[in-house]
Amino acid sequence: LSKNALTGDIPGFFDGASTQLQYVDLSNNDFACPIPSWAIYTHANCYQIDLISTQPFCIEGLQPFLVFGTNFGALGEANCTISDRDSGTVISETPATVVTESIIQCIALRDFRACNGSVGSRMFEMNYLSLTRDGETITGNSSLEIGITNPTCIPDT
């Protein structure tokens, strides 16, 4: 199975199968880090996913935006996760769309209910963006800040 263009996580099929599949070789594929401890016997290698920047830096909710980084080809299925910058609370998770090896597209959601200047109800809120899979961060210590504008603060035209 070496050099078979496998991506994402090591398939769960291999978990607990080290005695039956002791000669399996998953090396030279594009798995995303980290490799689980149970998969060491597979000789799989991985690519660290790093985030570099977003375009634009401040968005309206539901507006697609681009994220630039490295090794996105190794992602497989992943989510764009928006967390509150102050509390760390996860605000939304939406599917990440891989565009190229260095670009993904995300959509951010934030439920604004008022525009009164208090935290969570300001003109815009700064948030952290990371990539996750099954609730686990797959971008290590790599996250980005992105602003989301509050539509309740924008007068109707």
Side-chain angles (χ1 to χ4, degrees), residues 51 54 65 67 80-82 106 127-130 142-144 146:
L51 304 178
T54 65
F65 61 96
V67 179
C80 300
T81 300
I82 302 294
C106 293
N127 306 271
Y128 286 130
L129 166 71
S130 59
S142 180
S143 64
L144 298 172
I146 187 160

Side-chain angles (χ1 to χ4, degrees), residues 47-71:
Y47 291 94
Q48 182 63 46
I49 309 295
D50 290 311
L51 304 178
I52 296 172
S53 66
T54 65
Q55 182 62 36
F57 176 71
C58 192
I59 61 162
E60 296 177 26
L62 296 177
Q63 173 189 1
F65 61 96
L66 298 178
V67 179
F68 299 90
T70 60
N71 299 318

Side-chain angles (χ1 to χ4, degrees), residues 49 51 65 67 72 75-81 93-99 103-107 129-133 138-139:
I49 309 295
L51 304 178
F65 61 96
V67 179
F72 292 153
L75 276 176
E77 290 185 24
N79 290 317
C80 300
T81 300
E93 286 185 323
T94 58
T97 302
V98 176
V99 179
I103 301 173
I104 59 172
Q105 181 176 296
C106 293
I107 294 175
L129 166 71
S130 59
L131 297 179
T132 60
R133 185 180 299 115
I138 59 173
T139 46

Side-chain angles (χ1 to χ4, degrees), residues 5-6 8 26 29 32-33 58 66 76 82 93 99 124 136 140 144 148-149 153:
L6 302 174
L26 297 178
N29 286 294
C33 291
C58 192
L66 298 178
I82 302 294
E93 286 185 323
V99 179
F124 71 93
E136 298 292 323
L144 298 172
I148 302 176
T149 58
C153 293

